[in-house]
Amino acid sequence: MIIEPKTRGFICLTAHPKGCEKNVLNQIEYIKSKPTKNGPKNVLVIGASTGFGLASRITSAYGSKAATIGVFFEKPPTEGRPASPGWYNSAAFETQAHKDGLYAKSINGDAFSHEIKAQTLNLIKKDLGKIDMLIYSLASPVRTHPDSGTRFKSVLKPIGDTFTNNTVDFHTGVVKEISIEPCSDEDIDNTVAVMGGEDWQMWIDLLMSENVLSEDFKTVAYSYIGPSLTEAVYRKGTIGRAKDHLEATAFKITDSLKAINGKGYVSVNKALVTQASSAIPVIPLYISLLYKVMKEEDIHEGCIEQIERLFNERLYAEDLQLDEAGRIRVDDWEMRDDIQAKVLELWKEATTETLPEIGDLEGYKTDFFNLFGFNVDGIDYDKDVDEMVAIPGLQ
Ligand code: NAD
Ligand code: NA
């Protein structure tokens, strides 16, 4: 079929298999020339199909020839209806990995459930014996608690006061003010239940008790801080509470891994266009200004550049360069004083008229469509493609 982007609000309902494949192959190519010294060997990636999780899987496989198991929640294709992008990404990754002689298998389902955890555990036992790294990179709006069956929904709201600031609709380029009402107490608890650290801890507890974590095992989850501009709605809002919980969980995990000298870390990553971040108000305007400034300074990075630096200059390097709160920081370039000062200046000037000039709206849009395999260089979108692509290592 001919597949075209079909957008609704901040999501795209279609994905292009060839474009997704090209994105994955580009990331593989990037990592091939940047091997990780003493890198991981057997890696489980939760949230492995898109964004930072996919980049982590690629960096593990192609930076240190690691065997990878990927867990994700993606929609398979049906005749005439393309799959979700993470499906095509995983198909492309596993096809290439198998060609290159790398172990790569995956499990598609709800990572929050006992069932998917048990399935993953069995696969580790059967094929790998033990893992030495677990990457936790889930981004989900909902979580059904595996014990109680309660379905929690996360929200992106400020705590206490109404938040008012500018945002951009990146499809139309219109910059306008928006207001977001403060959350209820329940919203905080629900958001922590979805995006906090409880599920990460549950994975670790299960794998530790089943003795499938090797000596010196490491696990890392991803967090975000961001600028003062977005603080009220992000870091000091409901999602920030969840990130506080996630970050606190890293220390608890380290405690629970004492017997094997294991470590739990949080890495604070930079703001990037992903399916998760394009839904957050104010962030798209911030990102389009940030991209402009970071590209001008020649320090712009995508997911793969971020994770390559995380592995090669932090996790598997001599010095983790932890901050005062014990976190790894690969948002260090985004948060540089000179970068933030420039973004803040531009923020004051940003209007519908000025943004195309002072911001990188085009870069934002390109990245957004790239997530779904569209606007990718070298792909002929007029050509017929087979939407029925299989993931070769899918269990
Ligand atoms: P993403 O949407 O690209 O990836 C989410 C992944 O989670 C996908 O693989 C998806 O299939 C999987 N997933 C979602 N629900 C699932 C479920 N129930 N069961 C199994 N898999 C499920 O998101 P991302 O932006 O890469 O985010 C990953 C992490 O990085 C998040 O914790 C996010 O907060 C953090 N982070 C993101 C940014 C950013 O700007 N995008 C910055 C810093 C940190
Ligand atoms: Na991810």
Side-chain angles (χ1 to χ4, degrees):
M1 65 188 287
I2 306 286
I3 306 175
E4 287 174 340
K6 212 194 271 175
T7 56
R8 189 173 296 158
F10 303 120
I11 55 166
C12 180
L13 300 171
T14 51
H16 199 279
K18 289 288 172 202
C20 289
E21 177 185 52
K22 186 78 196 301
N23 285 336
V24 167
L25 296 178
N26 288 345
Q27 293 190 49
I28 289 176
E29 228 22 71
Y30 179 81
I31 289 298
K32 272 183 171 171
S33 59
K34 298 175 179 63
T36 305
K37 250 194 232 144
N38 305 313
K41 287 293 164 228
N42 291 322
V43 180
L44 172 61
V45 184
I46 318 281
S49 54
T50 57
F52 286 112
L54 173 65
S56 304
R57 189 176 195 191
I58 292 171
T59 303
S60 303
Y62 284 90
S64 44
K65 298 190 169 63
T68 59
I69 294 176
V71 178
F72 44 75
F73 209 3
E74 299 294 343
K75 188 168 61 75
T78 54
E79 295 285 344
R81 275 190 79 172
S84 55
W87 179 278
Y88 290 136
N89 291 339
S90 302
F93 171 77
E94 292 186 11
T95 301
Q96 189 60 42
H98 294 177
K99 270 189 208 160
D100 294 329
L102 293 164
Y103 173 100
K105 289 189 182 176
S106 51
I107 290 173
N108 188 34
D110 182 7
F112 296 128
S113 69
H114 287 316
E115 190 192 336
I116 291 296
K117 287 187 178 72
Q119 217 177 305
T120 309
L121 170 67
N122 288 337
L123 186 60
I124 294 171
K125 281 185 174 169
K126 178 165 79 78
D127 288 355
L128 304 179
K130 293 191 182 205
I131 57 169
D132 52 78
M133 166 62 108
L134 186 155
I135 309 279
Y136 190 83
S137 186
L138 283 189
S140 174
V142 291
R143 173 178 174 222
T144 300
H145 198 283
D147 297 329
S148 64
T150 308
R151 191 175 157 84
F152 299 104
K153 281 183 80 170
S154 73
V155 300
L156 287 156
K157 287 185 183 173
I159 296 172
D161 298 305
T162 301
F163 172 78
T164 303
N165 212 327
N166 281 343
T167 192
V168 63
D169 177 333
F170 59 88
H171 292 301
T172 60
V174 173
V175 176
K176 61 162 196 244
E177 199 174 83
I178 51 146
S179 284
I180 312 168
E181 294 295 310
C183 67
S184 64
D185 287 348
E186 221 181 31
D187 286 333
I188 301 176
D189 295 344
N190 291 345
T191 306
V192 171
V194 179
M195 288 297 285
E198 189 190 18
D199 181 64
W200 183 24
Q201 178 90 56
M202 285 173 120
W203 273 98
I204 297 297
D205 288 348
L206 174 72
L207 301 177
M208 180 70 185
S209 70
E210 293 283 336
N211 200 25
V212 296
L213 304 180
S214 60
E215 189 74 19
D216 302 324
F217 165 82
K218 288 193 222 306
T219 181
V220 61
Y222 298 138
S223 190
Y224 183 63
I225 297 178
S228 53
L229 281 168
T230 60
E231 198 170 60
V233 71
Y234 194 92
R235 194 62 210 210
K236 292 198 170 150
T238 49
I239 183 73
R241 289 296 177 87
K243 290 303 188 191
D244 290 345
H245 187 271
L246 184 80
E247 291 173 14
T249 302
F251 295 103
K252 290 194 187 158
I253 285 177
T254 296
D255 280 343
S256 63
L257 296 174
K258 278 228 168 76
I260 57 167
N261 191 37
K263 297 278 186 309
Y265 297 113
V266 157
S267 171
V268 183
N269 299 349
K270 91 178 269 245
L272 278 173
V273 181
T274 64
Q275 291 182 71
S277 70
S278 37
I280 306 177
V282 191
I283 299 269
L285 180 57
Y286 170 70
I287 289 185
S288 58
L289 299 173
L290 180 74
Y291 272 27
K292 181 80 168 191
V293 173
M294 292 187 82
K295 284 178 184 176
E296 269 169 11
E297 295 288 323
D298 211 17
I299 52 170
H300 176 71
E301 297 173 297
C303 288
I304 196 69
E305 290 85 359
Q306 276 269 289
I307 301 300
E308 186 273 326
R309 207 153 61 84
L310 170 64
F311 275 48
N312 290 343
E313 295 180 25
R314 302 287 192 281
L315 277 175
Y316 294 96
E318 297 294 309
D319 183 7
L320 291 161
Q321 303 176 39
L322 301 179
D323 70 6
E324 71 294 343
R327 301 170 296 209
I328 297 171
R329 304 294 295 265
V330 287
D331 66 338
D332 48 347
W333 297 350
E334 168 182 358
M335 299 309 286
R336 256 169 46 181
D337 288 343
D338 60 321
I339 299 295
Q340 286 299 319
K342 281 185 185 156
V343 172
L344 199 60
E345 273 312 300
L346 294 175
W347 187 273
K348 293 177 194 151
E349 297 165 20
T351 62
T352 306
E353 291 67 39
T354 61
L355 190 61
E357 192 56 39
I358 68 168
D360 186 24
L361 203 53
E362 277 316 305
Y364 192 103
K365 274 195 213 174
T366 302
D367 275 13
F368 177 80
F369 284 107
N370 279 180
L371 295 175
F372 304 91
F374 298 109
N375 295 16
V376 177
D377 284 342
I379 302 298
D380 180 358
Y381 291 99
D382 297 327
K383 236 173 130 179
D384 210 52
V385 284
D386 183 6
E387 71 280 16
M388 299 303 290
V389 177
I391 302 176
L394 188 68
Q395 299 304 289

